[in-house]
Amino acid sequence: MNQAMAPLDIEPGTGLNAGHDDRIVHRVRIGTVEVIRKRYAIADAAQVHASMVALWASPFGATRTTPGMPEPLCLSDDGTTIDMELLDGPMLGTRGDTGLLPKLVDEVALLLADLH
């Protein structure tokens, strides 16, 4: 999906991950597809995008299921924003009930094995 990104008026702290003004996340629609748009204020988005593309091409990326990785779709022309596939489930950066950890041990073990 190499569509040009429509400009957005994004104010720090108004995204899906309030409190992280250095990487603002929004859920947006491009045509009929809903995607996650992440703007990097400090980090080098082009480098993050290149790493995501390399990881997506690895055995961990496109063929991996739960927990999966969002497909990187495009980097904005100004090099500050990445659009990526919207996956079902909570964002990785959200903090949940620590009582859920025992239920996730098997998934975490598989993830660590894939990343090794």
Side-chain angles (χ1 to χ4, degrees):
M1 177 178 186
N2 287 327
Q3 296 180 355
M5 288 194 257
L8 290 180
D9 183 19
I10 303 172
E11 293 296 321
T14 61
L16 297 174
N17 61 336
H20 295 280
D21 293 345
D22 59 326
R23 54 194 185 281
I24 301 167
V25 179
H26 286 269
R27 183 175 177 167
V28 299
R29 183 179 293 273
I30 299 176
T32 60
V33 179
E34 292 215 24
V35 302
I36 293 296
R37 179 168 289 168
K38 191 170 192 179
R39 186 185 76 179
Y40 293 84
I42 297 172
D44 181 356
Q47 181 58 49
V48 172
H49 182 260
S51 296
M52 286 182 73
V53 169
L55 190 56
W56 180 257
S58 77
F60 171 74
T63 59
R64 180 142 180 50
T65 59
T66 309
M69 175 189 163
E71 179 181 5
L73 301 173
C74 64
L75 177 67
S76 64
D77 290 339
D78 67 1
T80 63
T81 307
I82 300 171
D83 279 358
M84 61 194 79
E85 175 186 22
L86 173 64
L87 296 179
D88 288 334
M91 292 190 320
L92 182 61
T94 60
R95 302 279 190 247
D97 177 2
T98 55
L100 296 175
L101 292 178
K103 296 178 185 177
L104 301 176
V105 169
D106 290 339
E107 288 182 22
V108 170
L110 290 171
L111 175 62
L112 289 173
D114 282 352
L115 290 173
H116 186 298

